[in-house]
Structures are given as structure tokens and as C-alpha cells.
Amino acid sequence: GSMEEVSLPLYFGWFLEYTFQDKLEVMAKDFLKTLGTLEVFKKHIRDFSGEGEEETNLEQYFQHKGPLHCTTKYCNYGKAKGAKEYAEKESVRQQYGSMTELAIGALFITPRTMGVRVLLTQDQLQLWPDDAEEKADAGPEAELPPGSRAHITLGCAEGIKPVQTGPDLLEILQLQKQGQEGEKVQDLENGPLTYYGNGIWVLSFTEPLLAPALFSSYYK
Ligand code: A2P
């Protein structure tokens, strides 16, 4: 094959600047620690623990490897649909290697994944693939606006792959769009905490958290 083919990455994305990675990880750990102590969480512990288990250590429940990032396009070294076209896009070539600031709007956990929602600007949306919000079965999720899926995976439960964080976020946005208010639990340091059932907990930031990030790509 040509040079172009072999040089396609596993994925393109925005990679959080190192000091901010640490900051976000500390914040997520603090959140889990706080959540684990709340009576209302203990009441719903079943979402996260097996039969007969009384306690769950959330900090051990979610594991993560590799750099914290917001995937724009998963290329799978060229095997993913549209990978080559994406890599050749004018905006991708132009912005490759440049810094931006990601606005983080919420932190969420489900029994499968932990992540933060990223609110993309118009400029950042130019790097967003058209098919990111599409689902194989073209359900109502397809109606969410472009960029809805943008997130940073902070951790996964045992046996779960990070690709699950996107669908989990889309499910949350779908619930919100359908007008489900959830159970407003209480205000934490960064904003209100809401429980949507089925182990879905969302901390909405009153002020978006701004994260410096580099647009680049990753090869394993
Ligand atoms: P995410 O962007 O939700 O974190 P893996 O380690 O499983 O190969 O995944 C590497 C990265 O690519 C992860 O960030 C992951 O999910 C993302 N990813 C994996 N598969 C897909 C896919 N089919 N579509 C979009 N992103 C994917």
C-alpha cells in the first residue's frame, strides 16, 4: 500500500494538556468519593454492585489507560469507514498540531462508563465527522445535533470498552431531550447532581470547565 494508507492513526482527537489531565482526574476521583458517601447513592448501589454486595468502591470500579482525549474520528488505522476522507479534509490538515480549548459541560457515570461531555464550538465542529451521531439502527438518537457525542472517557467498568462512553452520553442527552428531569439530588461544588435511573448520574457544571487540548492523532 501507499505511505498514506499505512500512516492513518487509530484515531484523531483533542488531547488534554498534561497538567489539565491531572486536574480532571483529581476532580473525577473527588466526585466519585463524594458520590459514594451519599445516602441516595447507597440506596441505588444495586446499579453498580453484584448480588449480595453491600459496597462498591467507585474509584476502583472505573479503570482507564492511555492519554485523556476527545476522539473526533476513529480510523482504526484506515479500516474504519470514512477514515481516509477524514484524514484528507482541509480542516483536519490545517488544524493538525494546533491547540484549542475544550469546554467541559458535565461529568457523568453509568454502570458502564465514566466521562465528561464536551461542548464544541463552531470552529471545533469543523473537525467533527458527519456520521458521529448516527447509530446502526438509526433510532431517535440520529436527531441530536452534530457534536452531541463529543466526550472524554475517564474510565470504564471491567470488561467494557471506551467506545461505550459515546452511546452512554447520547442516551443521557436523549433522556434530557425527552424532558426527563431525573431526580435532582443536591448541589455539589461544581453544580447540581441528577439521578436519571439505571445507574445514570450526571453532575452538570454551572460554569463550563475550560481544558487546553492539542488536535493530534494516536497510534498504539
Ligand atoms: P472513546 O472516544 O469513547 O473514548 P480502543 O482503546 O478501544 O481501541 O479505543 C481507542 C479510542 O477510540 C477510545 O477513545 C475510544 O472511545 C475510541 N473508539 C474506539 N472504537 C470507536 C468507534 N467505533 N467509534 C468511535 N470511537 C471509537
Side-chain angles (χ1 to χ4, degrees):
S2 70
M3 205 46 202
E4 197 96 8
E5 276 167 60
V6 295
S7 67
L8 285 174
L10 180 61
Y11 59 85
F12 284 90
W14 289 287
F15 293 80
L16 293 189
E17 194 246 310
Y18 280 111
T19 53
F20 197 87
Q21 285 199 43
D22 294 344
K23 202 176 142 183
L24 194 58
E25 260 160 8
V26 167
M27 185 183 207
K29 276 209 156 63
D30 286 349
F31 169 71
L32 292 180
K33 212 173 279 172
T34 304
L35 186 62
T37 63
L38 300 181
E39 284 310 315
V40 59
F41 179 78
K42 290 181 187 163
K43 205 172 82 189
H44 296 291
I45 192 75
R46 261 291 114 78
D47 299 335
F48 291 87
S49 66
E51 204 67 37
E53 280 178 70
E54 293 303 310
E55 288 202 19
T56 296
N57 184 335
L58 285 176
E59 287 165 81
Q60 279 160 27
Y61 187 92
F62 295 108
Q63 295 293 329
H64 181 262
K65 273 187 261 159
L68 292 186
H69 66 278
C70 174
T71 305
T72 52
K73 176 67 185 174
Y74 180 70
C75 292
N76 197 14
Y77 308 108
K79 278 177 267 175
K81 191 174 139 243
K84 190 163 181 280
E85 290 76 6
Y86 181 84
E88 286 171 358
K89 264 168 78 116
E90 184 70 21
S91 54
V92 170
R93 286 165 171 270
Q94 267 180 7
Q95 292 187 56
Y96 195 82
S98 66
M99 292 293 295
T100 191
E101 204 166 47
L102 297 178
I104 296 172
L107 172 66
F108 59 89
I109 69 167
T110 77
R112 300 164 297 279
T113 64
M114 167 166 66
V116 289
R117 180 181 183 199
V118 175
L119 307 163
L120 299 179
T121 63
Q122 285 304 318
D123 273 355
Q124 290 164 347
L125 277 170
Q126 292 185 358
L127 297 172
W128 197 248
D130 302 326
D131 60 357
E133 279 74 28
E134 272 171 26
K135 291 225 317 185
D137 61 354
E141 283 79 1
E143 287 162 30
L144 289 167
S148 297
R149 194 182 197 274
H151 66 276
I152 298 166
T153 299
L154 296 180
C156 295
E158 207 183 325
I160 303 289
K161 294 216 161 115
V163 65
Q164 182 61 43
T165 318
D168 281 4
L169 173 58
L170 290 177
E171 185 185 340
I172 291 167
L173 297 181
Q174 206 63 41
L175 291 172
Q176 292 173 341
K177 197 181 161 192
Q178 287 161 1
Q180 277 214 31
E181 284 173 17
E183 178 188 340
K184 176 150 181 241
V185 178
Q186 70 182 77
D187 283 316
L188 297 183
E189 202 184 321
N190 300 299
L193 172 69
T194 305
Y195 178 60
Y196 287 94
N198 299 318
I200 301 174
W201 297 83
V202 180
L203 171 64
S204 305
F205 294 150
T206 313
E207 293 282 339
L209 207 65
L210 297 178
L214 176 76
F215 181 61
S216 185
S217 59
Y218 186 82
Y219 298 77
K220 214 178 306 202

